[in-house]
Amino acid sequence: MPMARSERPVLTGLAALVGVGILVGLFLGVAALAGTQLLGINSNGASAGSTSAESLYLPKPSRTRSPSGPLITLAPDPSGTSSPSDQPTEQQTPDKAISLSSGQTQVGQMEQIDLTGVYPGGEGAILQVQRFQGGTWTDFPVTASVSNETFSTYVQTSQLGRNRFRVVDTDTGLESNEVRIQVG
């Protein structure tokens, strides 16, 4: 019985793959070594032309005595036109405002009304949707959460006519502007 070229084709194929892998690895290693030599990069990852003057020097921390006077003394304005105020100035912080908008201005009965908006600084807030009904704002059974200072939700209503919606932060009570949608 004539013997086949290989009795174990899987083992032969695996040995061939390992051999090719070793050759490719050696080739890539030599190419990388030649490239680093050509570019002048040493084993520390720094350029061969670097000096100690280019390295970062951090002194050892040491205890300091507390000074008896100010650390910085500012010279008075030589023109004499301005004088420093003894009282600190109030900085105006922008009020958080919830901005609400609707994707539709007119819909049919029980059609989806998309409500979206922006709430700067309101990350994680829960907003309660309200509808103006009978002269007062009443909670609508929908909420939205703020993520990345934005929110979106939708409502559906069967109440015909002009509907007014807004959202209110459930924690702070801050209210948005209202949007008006014609239903029907």
Side-chain angles (χ1 to χ4, degrees), residues 128-147:
Q128 174 67 54
V129 176
Q130 292 184 334
R131 178 173 54 188
F132 193 75
Q133 188 174 2
T136 63
W137 288 100
T138 58
D139 287 349
F140 203 76
V142 174
T143 59
S145 61
V146 178
S147 176

mmCIF file of all heavy atoms in Angstrom, residues 128-147:
data_model
loop_
_atom_site.group_PDB
_atom_site.id
_atom_site.type_symbol
_atom_site.label_atom_id
_atom_site.label_comp_id
_atom_site.label_asym_id
_atom_site.label_seq_id
_atom_site.Cartn_x
_atom_site.Cartn_y
_atom_site.Cartn_z
ATOM 1 N N GLN A 128 -41.836 67.035 35.088
ATOM 2 C CA GLN A 128 -43.245 66.656 35.011
ATOM 3 C C GLN A 128 -43.918 67.478 33.921
ATOM 4 O O GLN A 128 -43.835 68.700 33.923
ATOM 5 C CB GLN A 128 -43.928 66.930 36.361
ATOM 6 C CG GLN A 128 -45.425 66.720 36.360
ATOM 7 C CD GLN A 128 -45.803 65.265 36.174
ATOM 8 O OE1 GLN A 128 -45.347 64.411 36.903
ATOM 9 N NE2 GLN A 128 -46.635 64.988 35.178
ATOM 10 N N VAL A 129 -44.586 66.798 32.983
ATOM 11 C CA VAL A 129 -45.334 67.506 31.947
ATOM 12 C C VAL A 129 -46.646 67.975 32.554
ATOM 13 O O VAL A 129 -47.311 67.227 33.275
ATOM 14 C CB VAL A 129 -45.595 66.594 30.723
ATOM 15 C CG1 VAL A 129 -46.453 67.307 29.687
ATOM 16 C CG2 VAL A 129 -44.287 66.135 30.100
ATOM 17 N N GLN A 130 -47.010 69.240 32.289
ATOM 18 C CA GLN A 130 -48.274 69.792 32.761
ATOM 19 C C GLN A 130 -49.052 70.355 31.584
ATOM 20 O O GLN A 130 -48.471 70.800 30.598
ATOM 21 C CB GLN A 130 -48.030 70.907 33.792
ATOM 22 C CG GLN A 130 -47.448 70.412 35.089
ATOM 23 C CD GLN A 130 -47.305 71.533 36.112
ATOM 24 O OE1 GLN A 130 -47.175 72.702 35.765
ATOM 25 N NE2 GLN A 130 -47.321 71.164 37.382
ATOM 26 N N ARG A 131 -50.405 70.344 31.735
ATOM 27 C CA ARG A 131 -51.289 70.919 30.721
ATOM 28 C C ARG A 131 -52.142 71.979 31.401
ATOM 29 O O ARG A 131 -52.594 71.803 32.531
ATOM 30 C CB ARG A 131 -52.179 69.853 30.102
ATOM 31 C CG ARG A 131 -53.148 70.445 29.081
ATOM 32 C CD ARG A 131 -53.924 69.423 28.315
ATOM 33 N NE ARG A 131 -54.626 68.494 29.183
ATOM 34 C CZ ARG A 131 -55.254 67.412 28.742
ATOM 35 N NH1 ARG A 131 -55.258 67.120 27.466
ATOM 36 N NH2 ARG A 131 -55.875 66.616 29.567
ATOM 37 N N PHE A 132 -52.340 73.088 30.715
ATOM 38 C CA PHE A 132 -53.194 74.159 31.229
ATOM 39 C C PHE A 132 -54.636 73.764 30.963
ATOM 40 O O PHE A 132 -55.045 73.585 29.820
ATOM 41 C CB PHE A 132 -52.864 75.491 30.557
ATOM 42 C CG PHE A 132 -53.466 76.668 31.245
ATOM 43 C CD1 PHE A 132 -52.927 77.138 32.430
ATOM 44 C CD2 PHE A 132 -54.584 77.297 30.722
ATOM 45 C CE1 PHE A 132 -53.475 78.228 33.073
ATOM 46 C CE2 PHE A 132 -55.142 78.381 31.357
ATOM 47 C CZ PHE A 132 -54.589 78.858 32.542
ATOM 48 N N GLN A 133 -55.383 73.619 32.050
ATOM 49 C CA GLN A 133 -56.742 73.107 31.936
ATOM 50 C C GLN A 133 -57.613 73.756 33.004
ATOM 51 O O GLN A 133 -57.274 73.727 34.184
ATOM 52 C CB GLN A 133 -56.711 71.587 32.125
ATOM 53 C CG GLN A 133 -57.969 70.874 31.869
ATOM 54 C CD GLN A 133 -57.752 69.355 31.950
ATOM 55 O OE1 GLN A 133 -56.671 68.876 32.222
ATOM 56 N NE2 GLN A 133 -58.796 68.621 31.716
ATOM 57 N N GLY A 134 -58.699 74.364 32.596
ATOM 58 C CA GLY A 134 -59.626 74.970 33.545
ATOM 59 C C GLY A 134 -59.016 76.118 34.328
ATOM 60 O O GLY A 134 -59.340 76.323 35.490
ATOM 61 N N GLY A 135 -58.087 76.844 33.728
ATOM 62 C CA GLY A 135 -57.483 78.001 34.367
ATOM 63 C C GLY A 135 -56.291 77.698 35.256
ATOM 64 O O GLY A 135 -55.710 78.609 35.838
ATOM 65 N N THR A 136 -55.886 76.426 35.375
ATOM 66 C CA THR A 136 -54.716 76.082 36.200
ATOM 67 C C THR A 136 -53.872 75.036 35.467
ATOM 68 O O THR A 136 -54.351 74.324 34.571
ATOM 69 C CB THR A 136 -55.131 75.493 37.569
ATOM 70 O OG1 THR A 136 -55.833 74.272 37.349
ATOM 71 C CG2 THR A 136 -55.977 76.455 38.359
ATOM 72 N N TRP A 137 -52.644 74.943 35.887
ATOM 73 C CA TRP A 137 -51.746 73.922 35.345
ATOM 74 C C TRP A 137 -51.946 72.640 36.130
ATOM 75 O O TRP A 137 -51.861 72.629 37.352
ATOM 76 C CB TRP A 137 -50.289 74.383 35.450
ATOM 77 C CG TRP A 137 -49.950 75.465 34.479
ATOM 78 C CD1 TRP A 137 -49.867 76.796 34.745
ATOM 79 C CD2 TRP A 137 -49.661 75.305 33.096
ATOM 80 N NE1 TRP A 137 -49.538 77.488 33.600
ATOM 81 C CE2 TRP A 137 -49.406 76.588 32.564
ATOM 82 C CE3 TRP A 137 -49.591 74.216 32.237
ATOM 83 C CZ2 TRP A 137 -49.083 76.800 31.230
ATOM 84 C CZ3 TRP A 137 -49.268 74.426 30.910
ATOM 85 C CH2 TRP A 137 -49.019 75.704 30.419
ATOM 86 N N THR A 138 -52.233 71.543 35.429
ATOM 87 C CA THR A 138 -52.415 70.249 36.073
ATOM 88 C C THR A 138 -51.407 69.260 35.508
ATOM 89 O O THR A 138 -51.022 69.331 34.338
ATOM 90 C CB THR A 138 -53.843 69.703 35.848
ATOM 91 O OG1 THR A 138 -54.078 69.600 34.444
ATOM 92 C CG2 THR A 138 -54.884 70.618 36.467
ATOM 93 N N ASP A 139 -50.978 68.333 36.363
ATOM 94 C CA ASP A 139 -49.998 67.337 35.936
ATOM 95 C C ASP A 139 -50.597 66.429 34.873
ATOM 96 O O ASP A 139 -51.728 65.948 34.999
ATOM 97 C CB ASP A 139 -49.537 66.490 37.121
ATOM 98 C CG ASP A 139 -48.625 67.254 38.069
ATOM 99 O OD1 ASP A 139 -48.180 68.362 37.714
ATOM 100 O OD2 ASP A 139 -48.350 66.737 39.173
ATOM 101 N N PHE A 140 -49.838 66.213 33.819
ATOM 102 C CA PHE A 140 -50.179 65.277 32.760
ATOM 103 C C PHE A 140 -49.443 63.987 33.109
ATOM 104 O O PHE A 140 -48.337 64.044 33.652
ATOM 105 C CB PHE A 140 -49.716 65.853 31.411
ATOM 106 C CG PHE A 140 -50.433 65.307 30.227
ATOM 107 C CD1 PHE A 140 -51.718 65.728 29.927
ATOM 108 C CD2 PHE A 140 -49.834 64.367 29.397
ATOM 109 C CE1 PHE A 140 -52.391 65.235 28.814
ATOM 110 C CE2 PHE A 140 -50.493 63.875 28.285
ATOM 111 C CZ PHE A 140 -51.781 64.303 27.995
ATOM 112 N N PRO A 141 -49.972 62.819 32.838
ATOM 113 C CA PRO A 141 -49.325 61.577 33.292
ATOM 114 C C PRO A 141 -48.072 61.190 32.496
ATOM 115 O O PRO A 141 -47.932 60.060 32.048
ATOM 116 C CB PRO A 141 -50.438 60.533 33.134
ATOM 117 C CG PRO A 141 -51.288 61.054 32.036
ATOM 118 C CD PRO A 141 -51.247 62.551 32.180
ATOM 119 N N VAL A 142 -47.155 62.156 32.320
ATOM 120 C CA VAL A 142 -45.917 61.911 31.570
ATOM 121 C C VAL A 142 -44.788 62.677 32.252
ATOM 122 O O VAL A 142 -44.979 63.824 32.661
ATOM 123 C CB VAL A 142 -46.057 62.379 30.098
ATOM 124 C CG1 VAL A 142 -44.738 62.255 29.356
ATOM 125 C CG2 VAL A 142 -47.139 61.600 29.383
ATOM 126 N N THR A 143 -43.616 62.040 32.362
ATOM 127 C CA THR A 143 -42.411 62.717 32.864
ATOM 128 C C THR A 143 -41.287 62.511 31.855
ATOM 129 O O THR A 143 -41.362 61.645 30.982
ATOM 130 C CB THR A 143 -41.959 62.166 34.234
ATOM 131 O OG1 THR A 143 -41.689 60.774 34.108
ATOM 132 C CG2 THR A 143 -43.007 62.426 35.306
ATOM 133 N N ALA A 144 -40.242 63.294 32.022
ATOM 134 C CA ALA A 144 -39.040 63.170 31.183
ATOM 135 C C ALA A 144 -37.830 63.369 32.074
ATOM 136 O O ALA A 144 -37.882 64.139 33.036
ATOM 137 C CB ALA A 144 -39.051 64.212 30.065
ATOM 138 N N SER A 145 -36.747 62.684 31.777
ATOM 139 C CA SER A 145 -35.516 62.884 32.540
ATOM 140 C C SER A 145 -34.496 63.631 31.686
ATOM 141 O O SER A 145 -34.463 63.484 30.468
ATOM 142 C CB SER A 145 -34.941 61.546 33.003
ATOM 143 O OG SER A 145 -34.618 60.747 31.902
ATOM 144 N N VAL A 146 -33.661 64.426 32.358
ATOM 145 C CA VAL A 146 -32.665 65.245 31.670
ATOM 146 C C VAL A 146 -31.356 64.470 31.598
ATOM 147 O O VAL A 146 -30.860 63.973 32.606
ATOM 148 C CB VAL A 146 -32.454 66.589 32.410
ATOM 149 C CG1 VAL A 146 -31.390 67.418 31.711
ATOM 150 C CG2 VAL A 146 -33.759 67.345 32.506
ATOM 151 N N SER A 147 -30.809 64.367 30.394
ATOM 152 C CA SER A 147 -29.529 63.717 30.177
ATOM 153 C C SER A 147 -28.743 64.566 29.182
ATOM 154 O O SER A 147 -29.267 64.923 28.125
ATOM 155 C CB SER A 147 -29.747 62.310 29.621
ATOM 156 O OG SER A 147 -28.516 61.699 29.331
#
